[in-house]
Amino acid sequence: MKAVILRGALKEEHIKKIEETAAKAKVDVCFLDSEKELPEDYEDAEIAYGFGMNIAKARKLRESKSLKWVNSTSAGIEMLLKPGFFANEDVLITNSAGAYGVSIAEHIIAVTLMMFRKIDYHYAESLQGHWAEQLSQKSLKDCRITALGTGDIGRTFAKRVRAFEPESLIGVSRSGKCSEDVFDRVVPVEQLDEVLPQTELLVMSLPGTRETEGILSRERIALMPQGAYVVNVGRGSAVDEEALADALDGGKLAGAALDVFRYEPLPPKSRLWKTKGLLITPHVAGNMTLEHTVDKNVEMFCENLLNYAEGRPLKHLVDRKTGY
Amino acid sequence: MKAVILRGALKEEHIKKIEETAAKAKVDVCFLDSEKELPEDYEDAEIAYGFGMNIAKARKLRESKSLKWVNSTSAGIEMLLKPGFFANEDVLITNSAGAYGVSIAEHIIAVTLMMFRKIDYHYAESLQGHWAEQLSQKSLKDCRITALGTGDIGRTFAKRVRAFEPESLIGVSRSGKCSEDVFDRVVPVEQLDEVLPQTELLVMSLPGTRETEGILSRERIALMPQGAYVVNVGRGSAVDEEALADALDGGKLAGAALDVFRYEPLPPKSRLWKTKGLLITPHVAGNMTLEHTVDKNVEMFCENLLNYAEGRPLKHLVDRKTGY
């Protein structure tokens, strides 16, 4: 059995761990710096590990009927699910949802507090050498928070933000349930419109699926209280960007932090760059730039490599119907 | 009995609460927008409440032997303690240490995560319309944290940052003790040099006293590990600013966030404005710009107003010897 590993952010310690696990699992592994280097004797590999975008570029692997399992180091893998994308229509696809919770939860709290405390403004002023006047601030204490998405990201965020003593912390999920007891209550997405009027901070961590497309619509933004805040770290497609920009420019929303966008990189001419109170980060909340994320990612893959070799079901398998 | 209240950030609800408490305590109160408006019949007031700097400017009160109790809405009150500052040398001075914990703890976590996750860089780039490359990040998870100062600020920070799962969380205090069990361990300040080599993030929340002057010296910065971070929200006098700037420009420290400075406002020509990796905020971590802070501040004053009227000891009394 052969596996191709696109190295990406892997360090020596990670490679060593994968090599040891592969030896146990009796899998031959080949580590590549680029998908372009694929050696001929690995074109019929059964397993591919790497960043989804890079696996997508490895044409020889995509076109091989031998490819049985693709492990994407990212959580969002929309592209890999397109019908006909892999020659083997039954290829198993696992993602790395679960590896990014810590990184993304820290990002959410960072950008929220930056906005609440006007540190974005003070920092911009400081770059000009200005000692600016104080502005009114908002606190996570006694804040009414709604997490739209109660997966690993939503739950890891909830556990951290709880320590800041919010007034309420509501989860919204497809099922209306959550695998851990970390929210005050969890409601099904059908009740989203009922919780929005009480939501001062809306944190979105949804996958990019047909069901989440445009879920934060113009009508839903209008349901939020005056001066509310939005943070999106899931997929850009979940937000009506024009409606969000209108709500910020018009003063309905006090601030928004977007790490993901409908089109990435965000086009230079996008109005979002100039939208009032919009904090833009270039899709960095959950990349493999945090050591903990890479460690966790490799740990999850190694566990699955043993599962695969020994015929046990894989964890983190993506459901082609729901898209996550 | 008469009290003068300098309104500052007080809202109608706060004034109402003070009026009700004063009626119970049988104290006549006079609310002023500026210390310049002091009416003649309040020049012999026994009680003064307001921002320390503004009380200092109320010459008639300072020179009155009738003044028995000064309540400063800030926590730092160095100026009010100068010998001869008040005509009544026995004037009781209370500060508002305890009102700022929530606000300042949120500030500490905001600036720490901004630095750890390079959001300062990404935000500055976004202001130019640039979608920047990812940079390596650092996490609060598994981070070794030392809080220099275990008062209300240090403890409120510890309770929040604990949820981020640091590897260690050590408190350093004068006594080596802490009133709440929120640190892994608390050591006396004499052992500071022993904990610095294991400190990836040093959070300073010390009052401005002779003992804290220059406590983060060039020698102590040298004891910290390569790539460590410093956050100071206490008093600027506690840091050797030149040594800190050298350590940042030289790459010894990966980042520092200062909200307080030896001279405020920070002079336009200060090298700190241009120091690499230094995040400057204009003393906004703990001002009365957060509603919660004002609420808490008024609550503490009202409790003390009843204590005073009924002859009970005052809380938050400043010890002239230690200076806090």
Side-chain angles (χ1 to χ4, degrees):
Chain A
M1 208 182 291
K2 296 177 198 169
V4 172
I5 312 284
L6 300 177
R7 292 178 58 138
L10 301 187
K11 292 191 179 155
E12 281 312 313
E13 72 219 58
H14 303 119
I15 288 173
K16 207 176 147 208
K17 182 164 177 166
I18 293 175
E19 281 175 338
E20 285 169 7
T21 310
K24 249 191 256 177
K26 302 206 168 63
V27 174
D28 295 326
V29 275
C30 151
F31 292 90
L32 303 180
D33 283 326
S34 157
E35 70 284 349
K36 289 179 197 147
E37 300 166 1
L38 184 69
E40 226 167 278
D41 58 330
Y42 272 87
E43 287 175 3
D44 62 346
E46 222 172 298
I47 304 167
Y49 167 101
F51 184 55
M53 287 282 257
N54 296 333
I55 295 179
K57 283 189 257 170
R59 197 171 53 84
K60 286 268 167 60
L61 288 176
R62 277 173 53 191
E63 293 178 353
S64 156
K65 295 259 186 195
S66 306
L67 191 67
K68 298 280 185 336
W69 168 33
V70 170
N71 181 106
S72 167
T73 56
S74 54
I77 39 71
E78 295 90 330
M79 187 175 37
L80 307 185
L81 296 178
K82 286 185 187 151
F85 192 81
F86 290 103
N88 173 11
E89 287 283 332
D90 298 322
V91 69
L92 299 171
I93 297 178
T94 54
N95 70 3
S96 298
Y100 294 95
V102 166
S103 179
I104 299 182
E106 290 189 0
H107 178 91
I108 297 166
I109 291 176
V111 293
T112 299
L113 287 174
M114 265 180 85
M115 293 192 292
F116 277 18
R117 303 188 58 83
K118 313 281 164 71
I119 301 179
D120 45 358
Y121 164 77
H122 286 300
Y123 179 63
E125 289 290 307
S126 81
L127 291 175
Q128 311 285 325
H130 296 161
W131 182 269
E133 290 295 302
Q134 329 171 4
L135 297 173
S136 73
Q137 298 172 345
K138 187 173 169 62
S139 178
L140 281 171
K141 185 173 166 69
D142 303 329
C143 184
R144 289 175 295 174
I145 303 173
T146 300
L148 179 50
T150 64
D152 177 54
I153 298 165
R155 298 195 308 273
T156 308
F157 162 69
K159 284 181 235 176
R160 279 152 180 74
V161 84
R162 175 71 72 192
F164 292 83
E165 304 177 14
E167 182 178 309
S168 63
L169 186 47
I170 298 172
V172 181
S173 72
R174 223 156 60 116
S175 64
K177 286 174 192 160
C178 175
S179 61
E180 289 180 280
D181 184 23
V182 293
F183 294 100
D184 295 335
R185 61 194 173 97
V186 180
V187 302
V189 71
E190 291 75 21
Q191 289 175 30
L192 177 58
D193 291 3
E194 292 160 41
V195 300
L196 285 177
Q198 318 148 40
T199 299
E200 294 172 79
L201 169 65
L202 179 70
V203 172
M204 302 173 65
S205 62
L206 297 169
T209 69
R210 259 177 304 175
E211 291 178 35
T212 65
E213 164 75 31
I215 192 168
L216 190 64
S217 59
R218 191 174 291 274
E219 294 70 28
R220 289 210 168 99
I221 292 171
L223 290 176
M224 298 184 73
Q226 177 69 30
Y229 290 79
V230 172
V231 175
N232 187 19
V233 293
R235 277 292 179 261
S237 56
V239 173
D240 178 337
E241 291 176 346
E242 279 299 310
L244 187 82
D246 287 343
L248 286 162
D249 281 331
K252 161 78 181 174
L253 294 178
L258 301 182
D259 187 54
V260 289
F261 301 86
R262 193 164 286 268
Y263 301 104
E264 295 179 13
L266 186 62
K269 286 189 175 166
S270 169
R271 71 178 277 203
L272 297 182
W273 291 113
K274 299 282 179 201
T275 297
K276 196 179 129 196
L278 180 59
L279 180 49
I280 291 173
T281 47
H283 203 141
V284 292
N287 277 314
M288 296 260 279
T289 42
L290 192 66
E291 229 176 277
H292 167 79
T293 307
V294 186
D295 292 349
K296 182 102 181 170
N297 199 295
V298 168
E299 199 181 286
M300 285 163 59
F301 173 66
C302 287
E303 192 190 340
N304 257 346
L305 191 57
L306 292 174
N307 287 339
Y308 186 82
E310 290 163 19
R312 289 191 299 264
L314 295 182
K315 290 184 179 179
H316 316 290
L317 208 53
V318 176
D319 179 335
R320 284 172 181 277
K321 277 194 205 117
T322 61
Y324 67 95
Chain B
M1 208 182 290
K2 296 176 197 167
V4 172
I5 312 286
L6 299 177
R7 292 179 58 140
L10 301 186
K11 292 192 178 155
E12 281 313 312
E13 72 218 59
H14 303 118
I15 288 172
K16 206 175 149 211
K17 180 161 180 171
I18 293 174
E19 280 176 338
E20 285 169 5
T21 310
K24 250 191 254 176
K26 302 207 169 60
V27 174
D28 295 326
V29 275
C30 152
F31 292 90
L32 303 179
D33 282 326
S34 157
E35 69 285 348
K36 289 180 196 144
E37 299 167 1
L38 184 69
E40 225 168 278
D41 59 330
Y42 272 86
E43 287 175 2
D44 62 345
E46 224 172 294
I47 303 167
Y49 167 100
F51 184 54
M53 287 282 259
N54 295 332
I55 295 179
K57 284 190 257 170
R59 197 172 51 84
K60 286 267 168 58
L61 288 175
R62 276 174 53 191
E63 292 178 353
S64 156
K65 293 261 186 193
S66 307
L67 191 67
K68 299 281 186 333
W69 168 33
V70 170
N71 180 105
S72 168
T73 56
S74 55
I77 39 71
E78 295 90 329
M79 187 174 36
L80 307 184
L81 295 178
K82 285 187 188 152
F85 192 81
F86 290 103
N88 173 11
E89 286 282 334
D90 298 323
V91 68
L92 299 171
I93 297 177
T94 54
N95 70 4
S96 298
Y100 295 96
V102 166
S103 180
I104 299 183
E106 291 189 359
H107 178 90
I108 297 166
I109 292 176
V111 292
T112 299
L113 287 175
M114 264 179 87
M115 292 191 293
F116 276 18
R117 302 187 59 80
K118 314 283 164 71
I119 301 180
D120 44 0
Y121 164 76
H122 286 300
Y123 180 63
E125 289 290 307
S126 80
L127 292 175
Q128 311 286 325
H130 296 162
W131 181 270
E133 289 297 302
Q134 327 170 7
L135 297 173
S136 73
Q137 299 172 346
K138 188 174 167 60
S139 178
L140 282 171
K141 185 174 166 69
D142 302 329
C143 183
R144 290 175 294 173
I145 303 172
T146 299
L148 179 52
T150 64
D152 177 53
I153 298 166
R155 298 194 307 273
T156 309
F157 162 69
K159 284 181 235 176
R160 279 152 179 74
V161 86
R162 175 70 72 193
F164 292 83
E165 304 177 15
E167 182 178 310
S168 63
L169 186 47
I170 298 172
V172 181
S173 71
R174 223 157 59 115
S175 64
K177 286 174 192 160
C178 175
S179 61
E180 289 179 280
D181 183 23
V182 293
F183 294 100
D184 294 335
R185 59 193 175 98
V186 180
V187 303
V189 71
E190 290 76 21
Q191 290 176 30
L192 177 57
D193 292 3
E194 292 159 42
V195 300
L196 285 177
Q198 317 149 40
T199 299
E200 295 172 78
L201 169 65
L202 179 69
V203 173
M204 303 174 62
S205 63
L206 297 169
T209 69
R210 260 177 304 173
E211 291 178 36
T212 64
E213 165 74 31
I215 191 167
L216 190 64
S217 60
R218 191 173 292 274
E219 294 70 28
R220 289 211 168 99
I221 292 171
L223 290 176
M224 298 184 73
Q226 177 70 30
Y229 290 80
V230 172
V231 175
N232 187 18
V233 293
R235 277 292 179 261
S237 56
V239 173
D240 179 338
E241 291 176 345
E242 278 300 310
L244 186 82
D246 287 344
L248 286 162
D249 280 331
K252 162 78 181 172
L253 293 177
L258 301 181
D259 187 53
V260 289
F261 301 86
R262 194 164 286 268
Y263 302 105
E264 295 179 13
L266 187 63
K269 286 189 176 167
S270 169
R271 72 178 276 201
L272 297 182
W273 292 112
K274 300 281 179 202
T275 297
K276 196 180 129 194
L278 180 58
L279 179 49
I280 291 173
T281 47
H283 203 141
V284 292
N287 277 313
M288 296 260 278
T289 42
L290 192 66
E291 229 175 277
H292 167 78
T293 307
V294 186
D295 292 350
K296 182 100 182 172
N297 199 295
V298 168
E299 199 182 285
M300 285 164 58
F301 173 66
C302 287
E303 191 190 341
N304 256 347
L305 191 57
L306 291 174
N307 287 338
Y308 186 82
E310 291 163 19
R312 290 189 298 264
L314 295 181
K315 290 184 179 178
H316 316 291
L317 208 52
V318 176
D319 179 334
R320 283 170 181 278
K321 278 194 207 120
T322 61
Y324 67 95

